[in-house]
Coordinates of all heavy atoms in Angstrom, one line a residue:
M3 N 41.4 -57.9 36.8 CA 42.2 -57.6 35.7 C 43.1 -58.8 35.3 O 43.6 -59.5 36.2 CB 43.2 -56.4 36.0 CG 44.1 -56.0 34.8 SD 44.9 -54.5 35.2 CE 46.0 -54.4 33.8
L4 N 43.1 -59.1 34.0 CA 43.9 -60.2 33.5 C 45.4 -59.9 33.5 O 45.8 -58.8 33.1 CB 43.5 -60.5 32.1 CG 43.2 -62.0 31.8 CD1 41.9 -62.4 32.5 CD2 43.2 -62.2 30.3
E5 N 46.2 -60.8 34.0 CA 47.6 -60.6 33.9 C 48.3 -61.7 33.1 O 47.8 -62.8 33.1 CB 48.2 -60.7 35.3 CG 47.8 -59.5 36.2 CD 48.6 -59.6 37.6 OE1 49.7 -60.1 37.6 OE2 48.0 -59.1 38.6
T6 N 49.2 -61.3 32.3 CA 50.0 -62.2 31.5 C 51.3 -62.4 32.0 O 52.0 -61.5 32.4 CB 50.1 -61.7 30.0 OG1 48.8 -61.4 29.5 CG2 50.9 -62.6 29.1
E7 N 51.7 -63.7 32.1 CA 53.0 -64.0 32.6 C 53.7 -64.9 31.6 O 53.1 -65.7 30.9 CB 52.8 -64.8 33.9 CG 54.1 -65.2 34.6 CD 53.9 -66.0 35.9 OE1 52.7 -65.9 36.4 OE2 54.8 -66.6 36.4
R8 N 55.0 -64.6 31.4 CA 55.7 -65.4 30.4 C 56.8 -66.3 31.1 O 57.6 -65.9 31.9 CB 56.5 -64.4 29.4 CG 57.3 -65.2 28.4 CD 58.0 -64.2 27.4 NE 57.1 -63.3 26.8 CZ 56.5 -63.6 25.6 NH1 56.7 -64.8 25.0 NH2 55.7 -62.7 25.1
W9 N 56.7 -67.6 30.7 CA 57.7 -68.5 31.1 C 58.4 -68.9 29.8 O 57.8 -69.2 28.8 CB 57.1 -69.8 31.7 CG 56.5 -69.6 33.1 CD1 56.3 -68.4 33.8 CD2 55.9 -70.6 33.9 NE1 55.7 -68.7 35.0 CE2 55.4 -70.0 35.1 CE3 55.7 -72.0 33.7 CZ2 54.8 -70.7 36.1 CZ3 55.1 -72.7 34.7 CH2 54.7 -72.1 35.9
T10 N 59.7 -69.0 30.0 CA 60.5 -69.4 28.8 C 61.3 -70.7 29.1 O 61.8 -70.9 30.2 CB 61.6 -68.3 28.5 OG1 60.9 -67.1 28.3 CG2 62.4 -68.6 27.3
V11 N 61.3 -71.6 28.1 CA 62.0 -72.8 28.2 C 63.2 -72.7 27.3 O 63.1 -72.3 26.1 CB 61.2 -74.0 27.7 CG1 62.0 -75.3 27.7 CG2 59.9 -74.2 28.6
D12 N 64.4 -72.9 27.8 CA 65.6 -73.0 27.0 C 65.9 -74.4 26.7 O 65.9 -75.3 27.6 CB 66.8 -72.4 27.8 CG 66.6 -70.9 28.0 OD1 66.3 -70.2 27.0 OD2 66.8 -70.4 29.1
I13 N 66.3 -74.7 25.5 CA 66.7 -76.0 25.0 C 68.1 -76.0 24.5 O 68.3 -75.2 23.5 CB 65.7 -76.6 24.0 CG1 64.3 -76.6 24.5 CG2 66.1 -78.0 23.6 CD1 63.2 -77.0 23.5
D14 N 69.0 -76.7 25.1 CA 70.3 -76.8 24.6 C 70.4 -78.2 23.9 O 70.1 -79.2 24.4 CB 71.3 -76.8 25.7 CG 71.4 -75.4 26.4 OD1 71.2 -74.4 25.7 OD2 71.5 -75.4 27.7
L15 N 71.0 -78.2 22.7 CA 71.2 -79.4 21.9 C 72.6 -79.6 21.7 O 73.4 -78.7 21.3 CB 70.5 -79.2 20.5 CG 69.0 -79.0 20.5 CD1 68.5 -78.5 19.2 CD2 68.3 -80.4 20.8
T16 N 73.0 -80.9 21.9 CA 74.4 -81.3 21.7 C 74.4 -82.4 20.7 O 73.8 -83.5 21.0 CB 75.1 -81.7 23.0 OG1 75.0 -80.6 24.0 CG2 76.5 -82.0 22.8
E17 N 75.1 -82.3 19.6 CA 75.1 -83.3 18.6 C 76.5 -83.9 18.5 O 77.5 -83.2 18.6 CB 74.7 -82.8 17.2 CG 73.3 -82.3 17.2 CD 72.9 -81.8 15.8 OE1 73.6 -82.1 14.8 OE2 71.9 -81.0 15.8
G18 N 76.6 -85.2 18.3 CA 77.9 -85.9 18.1 C 77.7 -87.3 17.6 O 76.7 -88.0 18.1
D19 N 78.5 -87.7 16.7 CA 78.4 -89.0 16.1 C 77.0 -89.3 15.7 O 76.4 -88.6 14.9 CB 78.9 -90.1 17.1 CG 80.4 -89.9 17.4 OD1 81.1 -89.4 16.5 OD2 80.8 -90.1 18.6
D20 N 76.4 -90.3 16.2 CA 75.0 -90.7 15.9 C 74.0 -90.4 17.0 O 73.0 -91.0 17.1 CB 74.9 -92.2 15.5 CG 75.8 -92.5 14.3 OD1 76.0 -91.6 13.5 OD2 76.2 -93.7 14.1
R21 N 74.3 -89.4 17.8 CA 73.4 -89.1 18.9 C 73.2 -87.6 19.1 O 74.1 -86.8 18.9 CB 74.1 -89.6 20.2 CG 73.5 -89.3 21.5 CD 74.3 -89.8 22.6 NE 74.3 -91.3 22.6 CZ 74.1 -92.0 23.6 NH1 73.9 -91.5 24.8 NH2 74.1 -93.3 23.5
T22 N 72.0 -87.2 19.5 CA 71.7 -85.8 19.8 C 71.1 -85.8 21.2 O 70.2 -86.6 21.5 CB 70.7 -85.2 18.8 OG1 71.2 -85.3 17.5 CG2 70.4 -83.8 19.2
V23 N 71.6 -85.0 22.1 CA 71.1 -84.8 23.4 C 70.5 -83.4 23.6 O 71.1 -82.4 23.2 CB 72.2 -85.0 24.5 CG1 71.7 -84.8 25.9 CG2 72.8 -86.4 24.3
A24 N 69.3 -83.4 24.2 CA 68.6 -82.1 24.4 C 68.4 -82.0 25.9 O 68.1 -82.9 26.6 CB 67.3 -82.0 23.7
K25 N 68.6 -80.7 26.4 CA 68.3 -80.4 27.8 C 67.4 -79.2 27.8 O 67.7 -78.2 27.2 CB 69.6 -80.1 28.6 CG 70.5 -81.3 28.7 CD 71.7 -80.9 29.5 CE 72.6 -82.2 29.6 NZ 73.9 -81.9 30.3
A26 N 66.2 -79.4 28.3 CA 65.2 -78.4 28.4 C 65.1 -77.9 29.8 O 65.1 -78.7 30.7 CB 63.8 -78.9 27.9
R27 N 65.1 -76.5 30.0 CA 65.1 -76.0 31.3 C 64.1 -74.9 31.4 O 64.0 -74.0 30.6 CB 66.5 -75.4 31.6 CG 66.6 -74.8 33.0 CD 68.0 -74.2 33.2 NE 68.1 -73.7 34.6 CZ 69.0 -72.9 35.0 NH1 70.0 -72.5 34.2 NH2 69.0 -72.5 36.2
L28 N 63.3 -74.9 32.5 CA 62.3 -74.0 32.8 C 62.5 -73.4 34.2 O 62.7 -74.1 35.1 CB 60.9 -74.6 32.8 CG 59.7 -73.8 33.3 CD1 59.5 -72.6 32.4 CD2 58.5 -74.6 33.5
R29 N 62.5 -72.1 34.3 CA 62.7 -71.4 35.6 C 61.4 -70.6 35.8 O 61.1 -69.8 35.0 CB 63.9 -70.5 35.6 CG 64.2 -70.0 37.0 CD 65.6 -69.3 37.0 NE 65.8 -68.7 38.3 CZ 66.4 -69.3 39.3 NH1 66.8 -70.6 39.1 NH2 66.6 -68.7 40.4
T30 N 60.6 -70.9 36.8 CA 59.3 -70.3 37.1 C 59.5 -69.0 37.9 O 60.6 -68.7 38.4 CB 58.4 -71.3 37.8 OG1 58.9 -71.6 39.1 CG2 58.2 -72.5 37.0
R31 N 58.4 -68.3 38.1 CA 58.4 -67.1 38.9 C 58.9 -67.2 40.3 O 59.4 -66.3 40.9 CB 57.1 -66.4 38.8 CG 56.0 -67.1 39.6 CD 54.7 -66.4 39.6 NE 53.7 -67.4 39.9 CZ 52.5 -67.4 39.5 NH1 52.1 -66.3 38.8 NH2 51.6 -68.3 39.7
D32 N 58.6 -68.4 40.9 CA 59.0 -68.6 42.3 C 60.4 -69.3 42.3 O 60.8 -69.9 43.3 CB 58.0 -69.5 43.0 CG 57.8 -70.9 42.5 OD1 58.4 -71.2 41.4 OD2 57.1 -71.6 43.1
A33 N 61.2 -69.2 41.2 CA 62.6 -69.6 41.1 C 62.7 -71.2 41.1 O 63.7 -71.7 41.4 CB 63.4 -69.0 42.2
T34 N 61.6 -71.8 40.9 CA 61.7 -73.3 40.7 C 62.4 -73.5 39.4 O 62.1 -72.9 38.3 CB 60.2 -73.9 40.6 OG1 59.6 -73.6 41.8 CG2 60.3 -75.4 40.4
D35 N 63.4 -74.4 39.4 CA 64.2 -74.7 38.3 C 63.9 -76.2 37.9 O 64.3 -77.1 38.6 CB 65.7 -74.5 38.6 CG 66.6 -74.7 37.4 OD1 66.1 -74.6 36.3 OD2 67.8 -74.8 37.6
L36 N 63.2 -76.4 36.8 CA 62.9 -77.7 36.3 C 63.7 -78.0 35.0 O 63.8 -77.2 34.2 CB 61.4 -77.9 36.1 CG 60.5 -77.6 37.3 CD1 59.1 -77.6 36.9 CD2 60.7 -78.7 38.4
Q37 N 64.1 -79.3 34.9 CA 64.8 -79.7 33.7 C 64.4 -81.0 33.2 O 63.9 -81.9 34.0 CB 66.3 -79.8 34.0 CG 66.9 -78.4 34.4 CD 68.4 -78.5 34.7 OE1 69.1 -79.2 34.0 NE2 68.9 -77.9 35.7
G38 N 64.5 -81.2 31.9 CA 64.2 -82.4 31.2 C 65.3 -82.8 30.3 O 66.0 -81.9 29.7
R39 N 65.5 -84.0 30.0 CA 66.6 -84.5 29.1 C 66.0 -85.5 28.1 O 65.2 -86.3 28.5 CB 67.7 -85.2 30.0 CG 68.9 -85.6 29.2 CD 69.9 -86.2 30.1 NE 71.1 -86.6 29.4 CZ 71.3 -87.8 28.8 NH1 70.4 -88.7 28.8 NH2 72.4 -88.0 28.1
G40 N 66.5 -85.3 26.9 CA 66.0 -86.3 25.9 C 67.2 -86.6 25.0 O 68.1 -85.8 24.7
V41 N 67.2 -87.8 24.5 CA 68.2 -88.3 23.6 C 67.6 -88.9 22.3 O 66.6 -89.6 22.4 CB 69.1 -89.4 24.3 CG1 70.1 -90.0 23.4 CG2 69.7 -88.9 25.6
A42 N 68.3 -88.7 21.2 CA 67.9 -89.3 20.0 C 69.1 -90.0 19.4 O 70.2 -89.4 19.4 CB 67.4 -88.3 19.0
K43 N 69.0 -91.2 19.0 CA 70.1 -92.0 18.5 C 69.8 -92.4 17.0 O 68.7 -93.0 16.8 CB 70.4 -93.3 19.3 CG 70.8 -93.0 20.7 CD 70.9 -94.3 21.5 CE 71.0 -94.0 23.0 NZ 71.0 -95.2 23.8
R44 N 70.7 -92.1 16.1 CA 70.5 -92.4 14.7 C 71.0 -93.8 14.4 O 72.1 -94.2 14.8 CB 71.2 -91.4 13.8 CG 71.0 -91.7 12.3 CD 71.6 -90.6 11.5 NE 73.1 -90.6 11.6 CZ 73.9 -91.3 10.9 NH1 73.5 -92.2 10.0 NH2 75.2 -91.2 11.1
N45 N 70.2 -94.6 13.7 CA 70.7 -95.9 13.2 C 71.8 -95.6 12.2 O 71.6 -94.8 11.3 CB 69.5 -96.6 12.6 CG 69.9 -98.0 12.1 OD1 70.9 -98.2 11.6 ND2 68.9 -98.9 12.4
P46 N 72.9 -96.3 12.3 CA 74.0 -96.0 11.4 C 73.6 -96.2 9.9 O 74.2 -95.7 9.0 CB 75.1 -97.0 11.8 CG 74.8 -97.4 13.2 CD 73.3 -97.2 13.4
D47 N 72.6 -97.0 9.7 CA 72.1 -97.3 8.3 C 71.2 -96.2 7.8 O 71.0 -96.1 6.6 CB 71.4 -98.6 8.2 CG 72.3 -99.8 8.5 OD1 73.5 -99.7 8.3 OD2 71.8 -100.8 9.0
D48 N 70.8 -95.3 8.6 CA 69.9 -94.2 8.2 C 70.7 -93.0 7.7 O 71.8 -92.8 8.1 CB 69.0 -93.7 9.4 CG 67.9 -94.8 9.8 OD1 67.7 -95.7 9.0 OD2 67.4 -94.7 10.9
T49 N 70.0 -92.2 6.9 CA 70.6 -91.0 6.4 C 70.8 -90.0 7.6 O 69.9 -89.9 8.4 CB 69.7 -90.3 5.3 OG1 69.5 -91.3 4.3 CG2 70.3 -89.1 4.7
N50 N 71.8 -89.3 7.6 CA 72.1 -88.3 8.7 C 71.3 -87.0 8.4 O 71.7 -86.2 7.5 CB 73.6 -88.0 8.8 CG 73.9 -87.1 10.0 OD1 73.1 -86.9 10.8 ND2 75.1 -86.7 10.1
V51 N 70.3 -86.8 9.1 CA 69.5 -85.5 9.0 C 69.4 -84.9 10.4 O 68.6 -85.3 11.2 CB 68.0 -85.8 8.5 CG1 67.3 -84.5 8.3 CG2 68.1 -86.6 7.2
P52 N 70.4 -84.0 10.7 CA 70.5 -83.5 12.1 C 69.2 -82.9 12.6 O 68.9 -83.0 13.8 CB 71.6 -82.5 12.0 CG 72.4 -82.9 10.8 CD 71.4 -83.5 9.9
E53 N 68.4 -82.3 11.8 CA 67.1 -81.7 12.2 C 66.2 -82.7 12.9 O 65.5 -82.4 13.9 CB 66.4 -81.0 11.1 CG 65.2 -80.2 11.5 CD 64.5 -79.5 10.4 OE1 65.0 -79.4 9.3 OE2 63.4 -78.9 10.7
I54 N 66.2 -83.9 12.3 CA 65.3 -84.9 12.9 C 65.8 -85.4 14.3 O 65.0 -85.5 15.2 CB 65.2 -86.1 11.9 CG1 64.5 -85.7 10.6 CG2 64.5 -87.3 12.6 CD1 64.5 -86.8 9.5
G55 N 67.1 -85.5 14.4 CA 67.6 -85.9 15.7 C 67.3 -84.8 16.7 O 67.0 -85.1 17.9
A56 N 67.5 -83.5 16.3 CA 67.2 -82.4 17.2 C 65.7 -82.4 17.6 O 65.4 -82.2 18.8 CB 67.6 -81.1 16.6
E57 N 64.8 -82.6 16.7 CA 63.4 -82.6 17.0 C 63.0 -83.7 17.9 O 62.3 -83.5 18.9 CB 62.6 -82.8 15.7 CG 62.7 -81.6 14.8 CD 62.1 -81.8 13.4 OE1 62.0 -83.0 13.0 OE2 61.8 -80.9 12.7
L58 N 63.5 -84.9 17.7 CA 63.2 -86.0 18.6 C 63.8 -85.8 20.0 O 63.1 -86.0 21.0 CB 63.8 -87.3 18.0 CG 63.1 -87.9 16.9 CD1 63.9 -89.1 16.2 CD2 61.7 -88.4 17.3
A59 N 65.1 -85.4 20.1 CA 65.7 -85.2 21.4 C 65.0 -84.1 22.1 O 64.7 -84.2 23.3 CB 67.2 -84.8 21.2
A60 N 64.6 -83.0 21.4 CA 63.9 -81.8 22.1 C 62.5 -82.3 22.6 O 62.1 -81.9 23.7 CB 63.8 -80.7 21.1
A61 N 61.8 -83.0 21.7 CA 60.5 -83.5 22.1 C 60.6 -84.4 23.4 O 59.7 -84.2 24.3 CB 59.8 -84.3 21.0
R62 N 61.5 -85.2 23.4 CA 61.7 -86.1 24.6 C 62.1 -85.3 25.8 O 61.6 -85.6 27.0 CB 62.7 -87.2 24.3 CG 62.2 -88.2 23.3 CD 63.2 -89.1 22.8 NE 62.6 -90.1 21.8 CZ 63.3 -90.8 20.9 NH1 64.6 -90.6 20.8 NH2 62.6 -91.6 20.1
A63 N 62.9 -84.3 25.7 CA 63.3 -83.4 26.8 C 62.1 -82.7 27.3 O 61.9 -82.5 28.5 CB 64.4 -82.5 26.4
L64 N 61.3 -82.1 26.4 CA 60.1 -81.4 26.8 C 59.1 -82.3 27.5 O 58.4 -81.9 28.4 CB 59.5 -80.7 25.6 CG 60.3 -79.5 25.0 CD1 59.7 -79.1 23.7 CD2 60.3 -78.4 26.0
F65 N 59.0 -83.5 27.0 CA 58.1 -84.5 27.6 C 58.5 -84.8 29.0 O 57.6 -84.8 29.9 CB 58.1 -85.8 26.8 CG 57.0 -86.8 27.2 CD1 55.7 -86.6 26.9 CD2 57.4 -88.0 27.8 CE1 54.8 -87.6 27.3 CE2 56.5 -88.9 28.2 CZ 55.1 -88.7 27.9
E66 N 59.7 -85.0 29.3 CA 60.2 -85.2 30.6 C 60.0 -83.9 31.5 O 59.6 -84.0 32.7 CB 61.7 -85.6 30.6 CG 62.2 -85.9 32.0 CD 63.7 -86.4 32.0 OE1 63.9 -87.6 31.6 OE2 64.6 -85.6 32.4
L67 N 60.3 -82.8 30.9 CA 60.1 -81.5 31.6 C 58.6 -81.4 32.0 O 58.3 -81.0 33.2 CB 60.5 -80.3 30.8 CG 60.3 -79.0 31.3 CD1 61.1 -78.8 32.7 CD2 60.7 -77.9 30.3
A68 N 57.7 -81.7 31.1 CA 56.3 -81.6 31.4 C 55.9 -82.5 32.6 O 55.1 -82.1 33.5 CB 55.5 -82.0 30.2
H69 N 56.5 -83.7 32.7 CA 56.2 -84.6 33.8 C 56.7 -84.0 35.1 O 56.0 -84.1 36.1 CB 56.8 -86.0 33.6 CG 56.1 -86.8 32.6 ND1 54.9 -87.5 33.0 CD2 56.2 -87.1 31.3 CE1 54.4 -88.1 32.0 NE2 55.2 -87.9 30.9
H70 N 57.9 -83.4 35.1 CA 58.4 -82.7 36.3 C 57.5 -81.6 36.7 O 57.3 -81.4 37.9 CB 59.8 -82.2 36.1 CG 60.8 -83.3 35.9 ND1 60.9 -84.4 36.8 CD2 61.8 -83.5 35.0 CE1 61.9 -85.2 36.4 NE2 62.5 -84.7 35.3
L71 N 57.0 -80.8 35.7 CA 56.1 -79.7 36.0 C 54.8 -80.2 36.6 O 54.3 -79.6 37.6 CB 55.9 -78.9 34.8 CG 55.2 -77.5 34.9 CD1 55.8 -76.6 35.9 CD2 55.0 -76.8 33.6
L72 N 54.3 -81.2 36.1 CA 53.0 -81.8 36.6 C 53.2 -82.3 38.0 O 52.4 -82.1 38.9 CB 52.5 -82.9 35.7 CG 51.2 -83.5 36.0 CD1 50.1 -82.4 36.0 CD2 50.8 -84.6 35.1
R73 N 54.4 -82.9 38.3 CA 54.7 -83.4 39.6 C 54.8 -82.2 40.6 O 54.3 -82.3 41.8 CB 56.0 -84.2 39.6 CG 56.4 -84.8 40.9 CD 55.6 -86.0 41.3 NE 54.8 -85.6 42.5 CZ 53.8 -86.3 43.0 NH1 53.4 -87.4 42.4 NH2 53.2 -85.9 44.1
A74 N 55.5 -81.2 40.2 CA 55.6 -80.0 41.0 C 54.2 -79.4 41.4 O 54.0 -79.0 42.5 CB 56.5 -78.9 40.3
A75 N 53.3 -79.3 40.4 CA 52.0 -78.8 40.6 C 51.2 -79.7 41.6 O 50.5 -79.3 42.5 CB 51.2 -78.7 39.3
T76 N 51.4 -81.0 41.4 CA 50.8 -82.0 42.3 C 51.3 -81.8 43.8 O 50.5 -81.7 44.7 CB 51.0 -83.4 41.9 OG1 50.5 -83.6 40.6 CG2 50.4 -84.4 42.8
D77 N 52.6 -81.7 43.9 CA 53.2 -81.4 45.2 C 52.6 -80.1 45.9 O 52.3 -80.1 47.1 CB 54.7 -81.4 45.2 CG 55.3 -82.7 44.8 OD1 54.6 -83.8 44.9 OD2 56.5 -82.7 44.4
D78 N 52.5 -79.1 45.0 CA 52.0 -77.8 45.6 C 50.5 -77.9 46.0 O 50.2 -77.4 47.1 CB 52.1 -76.7 44.5 CG 53.5 -76.3 44.2 OD1 54.4 -76.6 45.0 OD2 53.8 -75.6 43.2
V79 N 49.7 -78.6 45.3 CA 48.3 -78.8 45.6 C 48.2 -79.6 46.9 O 47.5 -79.3 47.9 CB 47.5 -79.5 44.5 CG1 46.1 -80.0 45.0 CG2 47.4 -78.6 43.3
E80 N 49.0 -80.7 47.0 CA 49.0 -81.5 48.3 C 49.5 -80.7 49.5 O 48.9 -80.8 50.6 CB 49.9 -82.7 48.1 CG 49.2 -83.7 47.1 CD 50.1 -84.9 46.8 OE1 51.3 -84.9 47.2 OE2 49.6 -85.9 46.2
Q81 N 50.5 -79.9 49.3 CA 51.0 -79.0 50.4 C 49.9 -78.0 50.8 O 49.7 -77.8 52.0 CB 52.3 -78.3 50.0 CG 52.9 -77.6 51.1 CD 54.3 -77.0 50.7 OE1 54.4 -76.5 49.6 NE2 55.3 -77.1 51.5
L82 N 49.2 -77.5 49.9 CA 48.2 -76.4 50.2 C 47.0 -77.0 50.8 O 46.4 -76.5 51.8 CB 47.8 -75.7 48.9 CG 46.8 -74.6 49.0 CD1 47.4 -73.4 49.7 CD2 46.4 -74.1 47.6
T83 N 46.6 -78.2 50.4 CA 45.3 -78.8 50.9 C 45.5 -79.8 52.0 O 44.6 -80.1 52.7 CB 44.6 -79.5 49.7 OG1 45.3 -80.6 49.3 CG2 44.2 -78.6 48.6
G84 N 46.7 -80.4 52.1 CA 47.0 -81.4 53.0 C 46.3 -82.8 52.6 O 46.3 -83.7 53.4
E85 N 45.9 -82.8 51.4 CA 45.2 -84.0 50.9 C 46.0 -84.5 49.6 O 46.6 -83.8 48.9 CB 43.8 -83.7 50.4 CG 42.9 -83.2 51.5 CD 42.5 -84.3 52.5 OE1 42.4 -85.5 52.1 OE2 42.3 -84.0 53.7
P86 N 45.9 -85.9 49.4 CA 46.5 -86.4 48.2 C 45.9 -85.8 46.9 O 44.7 -85.6 46.9 CB 46.3 -87.9 48.2 CG 46.0 -88.2 49.7 CD 45.3 -86.9 50.2
A87 N 46.7 -85.4 46.0 CA 46.2 -84.9 44.7 C 46.5 -85.9 43.6 O 47.5 -86.5 43.6 CB 46.8 -83.5 44.4
H88 N 45.6 -85.9 42.7 CA 45.7 -86.8 41.5 C 45.5 -86.0 40.2 O 44.4 -86.0 39.7 CB 44.7 -88.0 41.6 CG 44.8 -88.7 42.9 ND1 45.8 -89.6 43.1 CD2 44.0 -88.7 44.0 CE1 45.7 -90.1 44.3 NE2 44.6 -89.6 44.9
L89 N 46.6 -85.3 39.9 CA 46.5 -84.5 38.6 C 47.0 -85.3 37.5 O 47.9 -86.1 37.6 CB 47.4 -83.2 38.8 CG 47.2 -82.4 40.0 CD1 48.1 -81.2 40.0 CD2 45.7 -81.9 40.0
H90 N 46.3 -85.1 36.3 CA 46.6 -85.9 35.1 C 47.0 -85.0 34.0 O 46.6 -83.9 33.9 CB 45.4 -86.7 34.7 CG 44.9 -87.6 35.8 ND1 45.4 -88.8 36.1 CD2 43.8 -87.4 36.7 CE1 44.8 -89.4 37.1 NE2 43.8 -88.5 37.5
S91 N 47.8 -85.5 33.1 CA 48.2 -84.8 31.9 C 47.2 -84.9 30.8 O 46.3 -85.6 30.9 CB 49.6 -85.2 31.4 OG 49.6 -86.6 31.2

C-alpha cells in the first residue's frame, strides 16, 4: 500500500534597509531539524522591490537546506551500509 507523508518547510523572512534574510527550516519524521539561510542584498541604485529580495533570499535558503538534506541522506546511507556513499543532487 502506498503511503503519503508530508514534510513542511517554514521560511521566515526578515527585511531591513537593503537586505532580506530568509531562514528555511525542515523537521522530518525522525525529528531531524535542518535549516538553511539565504541573504539578498539590494544595490542602493536599484528600485526597491521587496518581493524580489524575498524570492532571492528564500531560494538561497532552500538551496542551502537542500544541501543539508542531501548530506543527511548520505550520512544515513553510509551508516546503514558501512560504505562511503556518493549521492548527487
